[in-house]
PDB file of all heavy atoms in Angstrom:
ATOM      1  N   GLU A1065     138.512  83.610 121.971  1.00 86.00           N
ATOM      2  CA  GLU A1065     137.680  84.894 121.936  1.00 86.00           C
ATOM      3  C   GLU A1065     136.480  84.768 121.207  1.00 86.00           C
ATOM      4  O   GLU A1065     136.368  84.255 119.977  1.00 86.00           O
ATOM      5  CB  GLU A1065     138.756  85.940 121.270  1.00 86.00           C
ATOM      6  CG  GLU A1065     138.376  87.291 121.696  1.00 86.00           C
ATOM      7  CD  GLU A1065     139.524  88.345 121.339  1.00 86.00           C
ATOM      8  OE1 GLU A1065     139.857  88.385 120.186  1.00 86.00           O
ATOM      9  OE2 GLU A1065     140.083  88.950 122.355  1.00 86.00           O
ATOM     10  N   ILE A1066     135.334  85.102 121.799  1.00 89.00           N
ATOM     11  CA  ILE A1066     134.030  85.049 121.218  1.00 89.00           C
ATOM     12  C   ILE A1066     133.377  86.358 121.175  1.00 89.00           C
ATOM     13  O   ILE A1066     133.641  87.164 121.998  1.00 89.00           O
ATOM     14  CB  ILE A1066     133.202  84.070 121.644  1.00 89.00           C
ATOM     15  CG1 ILE A1066     132.807  84.344 123.154  1.00 89.00           C
ATOM     16  CG2 ILE A1066     133.751  82.521 121.697  1.00 89.00           C
ATOM     17  CD1 ILE A1066     131.716  83.478 123.730  1.00 89.00           C
ATOM     18  N   GLU A1067     132.603  86.632 120.018  1.00 87.00           N
ATOM     19  CA  GLU A1067     131.866  87.915 120.100  1.00 87.00           C
ATOM     20  C   GLU A1067     130.388  87.694 120.114  1.00 87.00           C
ATOM     21  O   GLU A1067     129.738  86.774 119.500  1.00 87.00           O
ATOM     22  CB  GLU A1067     132.113  88.515 118.589  1.00 87.00           C
ATOM     23  CG  GLU A1067     131.645  90.039 118.673  1.00 87.00           C
ATOM     24  CD  GLU A1067     131.838  90.556 117.213  1.00 87.00           C
ATOM     25  OE1 GLU A1067     132.736  90.406 116.550  1.00 87.00           O
ATOM     26  OE2 GLU A1067     130.784  91.306 116.920  1.00 87.00           O
ATOM     27  N   ARG A1068     129.701  88.254 121.180  1.00 87.00           N
ATOM     28  CA  ARG A1068     128.261  88.195 121.313  1.00 87.00           C
ATOM     29  C   ARG A1068     127.717  89.610 121.359  1.00 87.00           C
ATOM     30  O   ARG A1068     128.079  90.290 122.178  1.00 87.00           O
ATOM     31  CB  ARG A1068     127.905  87.423 122.619  1.00 87.00           C
ATOM     32  CG  ARG A1068     128.427  85.887 122.564  1.00 87.00           C
ATOM     33  CD  ARG A1068     127.581  85.054 121.626  1.00 87.00           C
ATOM     34  NE  ARG A1068     127.952  83.725 121.740  1.00 87.00           N
ATOM     35  CZ  ARG A1068     128.917  83.164 121.051  1.00 87.00           C
ATOM     36  NH1 ARG A1068     129.609  83.963 120.133  1.00 87.00           N
ATOM     37  NH2 ARG A1068     129.319  81.891 121.163  1.00 87.00           N
ATOM     38  N   LYS A1069     126.768  89.855 120.447  1.00 87.00           N
ATOM     39  CA  LYS A1069     126.159  91.128 120.428  1.00 87.00           C
ATOM     40  C   LYS A1069     127.132  92.190 120.407  1.00 87.00           C
ATOM     41  O   LYS A1069     127.096  93.208 121.048  1.00 87.00           O
ATOM     42  CB  LYS A1069     125.162  91.371 121.539  1.00 87.00           C
ATOM     43  CG  LYS A1069     123.915  90.540 121.388  1.00 87.00           C
ATOM     44  CD  LYS A1069     123.047  90.574 122.607  1.00 87.00           C
ATOM     45  CE  LYS A1069     121.890  89.455 122.486  1.00 87.00           C
ATOM     46  NZ  LYS A1069     121.276  89.103 123.687  1.00 87.00           N
ATOM     47  N   GLY A1070     128.174  92.105 119.571  1.00 88.00           N
ATOM     48  CA  GLY A1070     129.287  93.175 119.372  1.00 88.00           C
ATOM     49  C   GLY A1070     130.235  93.161 120.410  1.00 88.00           C
ATOM     50  O   GLY A1070     131.189  94.054 120.364  1.00 88.00           O
ATOM     51  N   VAL A1071     130.151  92.377 121.542  1.00 91.00           N
ATOM     52  CA  VAL A1071     130.983  92.469 122.595  1.00 91.00           C
ATOM     53  C   VAL A1071     131.974  91.290 122.591  1.00 91.00           C
ATOM     54  O   VAL A1071     131.579  90.098 122.452  1.00 91.00           O
ATOM     55  CB  VAL A1071     130.377  92.514 124.052  1.00 91.00           C
ATOM     56  CG1 VAL A1071     131.322  92.628 125.201  1.00 91.00           C
ATOM     57  CG2 VAL A1071     129.272  93.627 124.064  1.00 91.00           C
ATOM     58  N   LEU A1072     133.351  91.494 122.618  1.00 91.00           N
ATOM     59  CA  LEU A1072     134.382  90.469 122.583  1.00 91.00           C
ATOM     60  C   LEU A1072     134.497  89.978 124.003  1.00 91.00           C
ATOM     61  O   LEU A1072     134.890  90.779 124.943  1.00 91.00           O
ATOM     62  CB  LEU A1072     135.583  90.895 121.993  1.00 91.00           C
ATOM     63  CG  LEU A1072     135.694  90.993 120.532  1.00 91.00           C
ATOM     64  CD1 LEU A1072     137.038  91.538 120.055  1.00 91.00           C
ATOM     65  CD2 LEU A1072     135.441  89.495 119.876  1.00 91.00           C
ATOM     66  N   THR A1073     134.448  88.763 124.260  1.00 90.00           N
ATOM     67  CA  THR A1073     134.919  88.208 125.584  1.00 90.00           C
ATOM     68  C   THR A1073     135.728  86.963 125.343  1.00 90.00           C
ATOM     69  O   THR A1073     135.637  86.137 124.217  1.00 90.00           O
ATOM     70  CB  THR A1073     133.639  87.753 126.413  1.00 90.00           C
ATOM     71  OG1 THR A1073     132.734  87.086 125.492  1.00 90.00           O
ATOM     72  CG2 THR A1073     133.048  88.907 127.197  1.00 90.00           C
ATOM     73  N   THR A1074     136.447  86.531 126.317  1.00 90.00           N
ATOM     74  CA  THR A1074     137.261  85.273 126.159  1.00 90.00           C
ATOM     75  C   THR A1074     136.614  84.294 127.106  1.00 90.00           C
ATOM     76  O   THR A1074     136.211  84.436 128.328  1.00 90.00           O
ATOM     77  CB  THR A1074     138.769  85.557 126.695  1.00 90.00           C
ATOM     78  OG1 THR A1074     139.264  86.618 126.014  1.00 90.00           O
ATOM     79  CG2 THR A1074     139.426  84.285 126.530  1.00 90.00           C
ATOM     80  N   ARG A1104     127.931  80.651 128.464  1.00 80.00           N
ATOM     81  CA  ARG A1104     128.210  81.113 127.240  1.00 80.00           C
ATOM     82  C   ARG A1104     128.547  79.951 126.373  1.00 80.00           C
ATOM     83  O   ARG A1104     129.614  79.498 126.262  1.00 80.00           O
ATOM     84  CB  ARG A1104     129.290  82.080 127.234  1.00 80.00           C
ATOM     85  CG  ARG A1104     129.029  83.396 127.838  1.00 80.00           C
ATOM     86  CD  ARG A1104     130.230  84.336 127.752  1.00 80.00           C
ATOM     87  NE  ARG A1104     130.118  85.508 128.616  1.00 80.00           N
ATOM     88  CZ  ARG A1104     129.340  86.476 128.183  1.00 80.00           C
ATOM     89  NH1 ARG A1104     128.673  86.566 127.072  1.00 80.00           N
ATOM     90  NH2 ARG A1104     129.150  87.525 128.942  1.00 80.00           N
ATOM     91  N   ARG A1107     130.239  78.252 119.680  1.00 90.00           N
ATOM     92  CA  ARG A1107     129.661  77.976 118.302  1.00 90.00           C
ATOM     93  C   ARG A1107     130.689  77.025 117.772  1.00 90.00           C
ATOM     94  O   ARG A1107     131.853  77.066 117.939  1.00 90.00           O
ATOM     95  CB  ARG A1107     129.500  79.148 117.532  1.00 90.00           C
ATOM     96  CG  ARG A1107     128.364  80.095 117.933  1.00 90.00           C
ATOM     97  CD  ARG A1107     128.155  81.290 117.253  1.00 90.00           C
ATOM     98  NE  ARG A1107     127.131  82.009 117.805  1.00 90.00           N
ATOM     99  CZ  ARG A1107     127.114  83.453 117.735  1.00 90.00           C
ATOM    100  NH1 ARG A1107     127.932  84.078 116.951  1.00 90.00           N
ATOM    101  NH2 ARG A1107     126.179  84.048 118.410  1.00 90.00           N
ATOM    102  N   GLU A1110     133.688  78.554 116.178  1.00 88.00           N
ATOM    103  CA  GLU A1110     134.548  78.968 117.116  1.00 88.00           C
ATOM    104  C   GLU A1110     135.555  77.989 117.671  1.00 88.00           C
ATOM    105  O   GLU A1110     136.688  78.052 117.961  1.00 88.00           O
ATOM    106  CB  GLU A1110     133.946  79.676 118.443  1.00 88.00           C
ATOM    107  CG  GLU A1110     133.284  80.922 117.930  1.00 88.00           C
ATOM    108  CD  GLU A1110     132.135  81.431 118.891  1.00 88.00           C
ATOM    109  OE1 GLU A1110     131.672  80.658 119.752  1.00 88.00           O
ATOM    110  OE2 GLU A1110     131.588  82.589 118.729  1.00 88.00           O
TER     111      GLU A1110
END
Side-chain angles (χ1 to χ4, degrees):
Chain A
E1065 207 167 55
I1066 64 169
E1067 191 188 318
R1068 293 290 181 274
K1069 291 173 183 161
V1071 182
L1072 276 176
T1073 42
T1074 303
R1104 284 187 192 279
R1107 291 175 187 156
E1110 290 159 349

